[in-house]
């Protein structure tokens, strides 16, 4: 190393050192502020319990509605605190007089990831709650057999403990405006006010389809397209890796479809991966058919961005990352890898599965380049049909259980993106075997095990 007394160079070195220190310090300070705020809120609640607005969210919808519920109560002068369901303990429930629960259901009736510990810790036991008055807003999708399963289970458990319902459970199918309106109406009665904040979602805006490329010609699977979109007004909005877009298709404008964003703002465009869905009668999905077949290059697409806090990096930005997915799930993982490489974070391990290497190696060159330049420390690509025995990403994960434990011991966070059926359940089982179910639930409660599965 060559030392110098050049003041300019010394100032440059000092500036770089200070910048690096600030980058390292920022996540710690952010986490510390959140912990202090949580402690203050809990102390205030002990002195004046007021109302609790508790949420369990998988993709952010329940969390967003919980925030709007809290704002309505506070506007009416009602003291209230916001709490993720996983943060509530038995004494919180026994001390509180009124709790509004806004909870989503994951898959076939399960609790969202962050609420799994709550369900296992409290809902499997008896807990006398005769003083508690509560209400439940259950979010779900009627396409699943166990529609709103977790919300229904929570409601039943609360009643069995002697808690009294303020009004019947309200169930929301696919963000139904009518059901959410019923919740707002009941909330207005409870709060004694009709002067509620605006709950409407941001308006859709016009984006231009700038590029569309078929990624898997010749694949045994359904066609998968890489799309790039630009805002028509020229102003690129901000988003974070892990966020989603909602697309309004002309054939079904009442129901927006959500897609993971596969890019970061520095790319200058929103990148999406859209798989063409074909019904039994040969017709195509309203949104996937529009985006991949019907919309012409340069045509306007109605789109809006939606924060997905449960899948953002946030406090995990400084941690090593284990990224696991399959199929179109590479979109959300690619967004995170882009964010990581841009920030100089190289401790990344990607495990990704598809059908055949010859046709389904999405972003192969990009992944190889990141690995070559040391930005992707470990890469495992699993192709299920390239050998007689079916092999999936969960098998690869199970075979490297020791490596998984080592990464977790080093502070790693786990992100899973892709299909709910098969992959997500298989990966969850492999992780539970490697780490222990209780430890995995604790990682989820701490935000170190996050999933965007569908």
């Amino acid at each position: 190393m060559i030392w110098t007394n050049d003041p300019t160079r010394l100032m440059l070195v000092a500036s770089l050192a200070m910048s690096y220190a600030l980058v390292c310090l920022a996540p710690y300070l952010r986490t510390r502020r959140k912990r202090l705020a949580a402690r203050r809120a809990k102390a205030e609640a002990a002195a004046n319990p007021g109302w609790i607005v508790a949420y369990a969210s998988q993709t952010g919808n329940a969390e967003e509605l919980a925030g709007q519920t809290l704002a309505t109560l506070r506007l009416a002068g009602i003291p209230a605190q916001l709490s993720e369901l996983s943060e509530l303990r038995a004494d919180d429930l026994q001390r509180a007089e009124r709790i509004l629960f806004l909870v989503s259901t994951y898959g076939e009736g399960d609790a969202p990831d962050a609420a799994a510990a709550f369900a296992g810790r409290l809902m499997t036991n008896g807990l006398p709650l005769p003083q508690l008055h509560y209400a439940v807003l259950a979010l779900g999708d009627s396409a699943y057999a166990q529609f709103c399963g977790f919300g229904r289970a929570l409601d039943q458990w609360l009643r069995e403990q002697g808690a009294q319902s303020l009004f019947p459970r309200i169930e929301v199918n696919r963000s139904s405006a009518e059901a959410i309106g019923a919740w707002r109406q009941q909330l207005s009665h409870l709060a004694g006010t009709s002067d509620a904040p605006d709950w409407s979602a941001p308006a859709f805006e016009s984006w231009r389809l700038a590029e569309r490329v078929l990624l898997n010609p010749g694949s045994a699977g359904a066609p998968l397209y890489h799309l790039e979109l630009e805002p028509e007004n020229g102003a690129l909005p901000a988003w974070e890796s892990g966020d989603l877009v909602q697309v309004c298709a002309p054939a079904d404008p009442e129901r927006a479809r959500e897609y993971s964003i596969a890019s970061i703002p520095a790319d200058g465009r929103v990148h999406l991966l859209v798989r063409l869905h074909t019904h039994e009668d040969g017709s195509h999905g309203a949104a996937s058919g529009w985006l991949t077949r019907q919309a012409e290059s340069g045509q306007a697409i109605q789109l809006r961005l939606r924060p997905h806090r449960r899948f953002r990096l946030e406090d995990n930005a400084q941690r090593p990352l284990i990224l696991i997915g399959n199929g179109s799930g590479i979109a959300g993982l690619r967004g995170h890898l882009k964010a990581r490489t841009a920030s100089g974070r190289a401790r990344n391990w990607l495990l990704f599965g598809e059908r055949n290497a010859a046709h389904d190696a999405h972003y192969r060159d990009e992944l190889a380049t990141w690995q070559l330049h040391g930005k992707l420390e470990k890469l495992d690509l699993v192709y299920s049909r390239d050998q007689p025995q079916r092999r999936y990403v969960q098998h690869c994960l199970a075979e490297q259980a020791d490596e998984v434990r080592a990464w977790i011991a080093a502070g790693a966070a786990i992100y899973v993106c892709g299909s709910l059926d098969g992959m997500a359940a298989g990966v969850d089982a492999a992780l539970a075997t490697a780490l222990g179910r209780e430890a995995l639930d604790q990682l989820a409660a701490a935000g170190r095990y996050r999933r965007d599965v569908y």
Side-chain angles (χ1 to χ4, degrees):
M1 180 180 293
I2 300 175
W3 294 96
T4 177
N5 291 322
D6 185 342
T8 302
R9 291 190 177 182
L10 289 174
M11 289 180 64
L12 178 59
V13 170
S15 176
L16 289 172
M18 181 64 72
S19 299
Y20 178 76
L22 289 173
V23 167
C24 295
L25 186 61
Y28 165 77
L29 293 175
R30 185 166 57 248
T31 302
R32 186 170 180 270
R33 282 196 299 270
K34 289 173 68 174
R35 288 175 179 167
L36 290 175
R39 289 175 189 167
R40 283 196 299 270
K42 195 154 189 176
E44 291 171 2
N48 181 9
W51 296 51
I52 297 175
V53 179
Y55 67 90
S57 190
Q58 189 70 26
T59 63
N61 289 327
E63 182 178 4
E64 182 178 354
L65 290 171
Q68 293 166 338
T69 296
L70 179 74
T72 298
L73 293 176
R74 288 182 172 174
L75 188 65
I78 297 175
Q81 63 165 324
L82 187 67
S83 175
E84 194 162 12
L85 195 61
S86 61
E87 297 172 353
L88 294 181
R89 299 292 183 264
D91 59 338
D92 296 320
L93 296 180
Q94 291 183 311
R95 185 174 59 247
E97 295 183 4
R98 295 180 182 85
I99 303 181
L100 303 180
F101 295 92
L102 299 91
V103 299
S104 63
T105 291
Y106 159 69
E108 289 293 355
D110 295 329
D113 293 335
F118 173 92
R121 186 177 68 248
L122 296 178
M123 292 175 61
T124 54
N125 303 301
L127 182 68
L129 299 172
Q131 88 298 338
L132 179 62
H133 294 74
Y134 75 95
V136 173
L137 181 72
L139 284 73
D141 186 335
S142 59
Y144 293 97
Q146 300 299 322
F147 172 59
C148 290
F150 178 61
R152 293 175 180 179
L154 175 63
D155 189 15
Q156 180 179 348
W157 179 78
L158 289 166
R159 282 188 279 107
E160 290 173 351
Q161 311 317 307
Q164 304 170 59
S165 177
L166 293 164
F167 51 84
R169 178 183 68 248
I170 294 176
E171 297 181 346
V172 182
N173 182 28
R174 298 175 179 171
S175 301
S176 164
E178 182 179 356
I180 294 173
W183 175 262
R184 291 187 65 192
Q185 185 177 28
Q186 292 286 1
L187 187 62
S188 295
H189 291 326
L190 290 176
T193 179
S194 59
D195 184 19
D198 182 15
W199 285 41
S200 59
F204 285 92
E205 297 181 345
S206 289
W207 289 62
R208 183 180 67 85
L209 179 59
E211 185 174 341
R212 180 172 59 209
V213 178
L214 176 63
L215 291 184
N216 62 340
S219 173
L224 183 65
Y225 290 84
H226 170 94
L227 279 67
E228 298 188 10
L229 300 105
E230 299 173 334
E232 284 200 331
N233 64 8
L236 191 71
W239 72 87
E240 294 184 25
S241 63
D243 284 350
L244 306 169
V245 299
Q246 294 181 324
V247 174
C248 183
D252 189 5
E254 298 301 316
R255 183 188 166 204
R257 270 60 164 193
E258 292 187 334
Y259 298 95
S260 300
I261 302 177
S263 58
I264 57 177
D267 293 316
R269 291 175 174 176
V270 161
H271 296 181
L272 306 179
L273 264 72
V274 180
R275 193 178 294 278
L276 177 62
H277 180 67
T278 303
H279 301 295
E280 291 183 0
D281 63 2
S283 64
H284 295 144
S288 67
W290 163 247
L291 291 171
T292 65
R293 294 293 176 89
Q294 299 160 16
E296 301 290 340
S297 179
Q299 190 164 354
I301 305 289
Q302 296 302 305
L303 177 150
R304 66 186 176 201
L305 275 66
R306 188 170 80 77
H308 187 0
R309 296 191 61 86
R310 290 297 310 166
F311 204 65
R312 284 181 170 181
L313 293 178
E314 296 191 326
D315 293 339
N316 294 325
Q318 313 304 318
R319 296 180 179 276
L321 287 193
I322 302 175
L323 305 166
I324 309 167
N326 72 335
S328 61
I330 191 65
L333 305 181
R334 180 180 186 246
H336 282 327
L337 283 170
K338 280 178 165 287
R340 297 278 288 181
T341 57
S343 64
R345 296 287 167 181
R347 283 227 70 192
N348 306 304
W349 177 9
L350 174 65
L351 300 98
F352 177 71
E354 252 289 5
R355 292 172 181 256
N356 300 104
H359 305 289
D360 304 297
H362 317 316
Y363 305 117
R364 184 206 307 262
D365 293 342
E366 187 174 54
L367 296 177
T369 299
W370 283 335
Q371 189 176 32
L372 178 64
H373 291 92
K375 297 179 178 180
L376 182 54
E377 182 173 318
K378 189 169 171 57
L379 175 63
D380 287 296
L381 301 176
V382 184
Y383 296 101
S384 61
R385 304 194 179 191
D386 278 356
Q387 59 280 314
Q389 185 80 18
R390 290 285 189 266
R391 176 174 165 79
Y392 299 104
V393 69
Q394 56 264 35
H395 298 141
C396 179
L397 191 66
E399 292 164 0
Q400 303 189 72
D402 289 342
E403 190 83 5
V404 171
R405 286 189 287 268
W407 277 62
I408 294 300
I414 304 169
Y415 284 74
V416 181
C417 192
S419 60
L420 173 62
D421 295 332
M423 188 278 294
V427 165
D428 186 75
L431 290 171
T433 299
L435 303 171
R437 171 53 61 185
E438 184 177 353
L440 189 59
D441 287 344
Q442 290 174 352
L443 286 175
R448 288 176 59 192
Y449 178 34
R450 304 190 179 202
R451 297 191 289 184
D452 179 11
V453 295
Y454 38 86

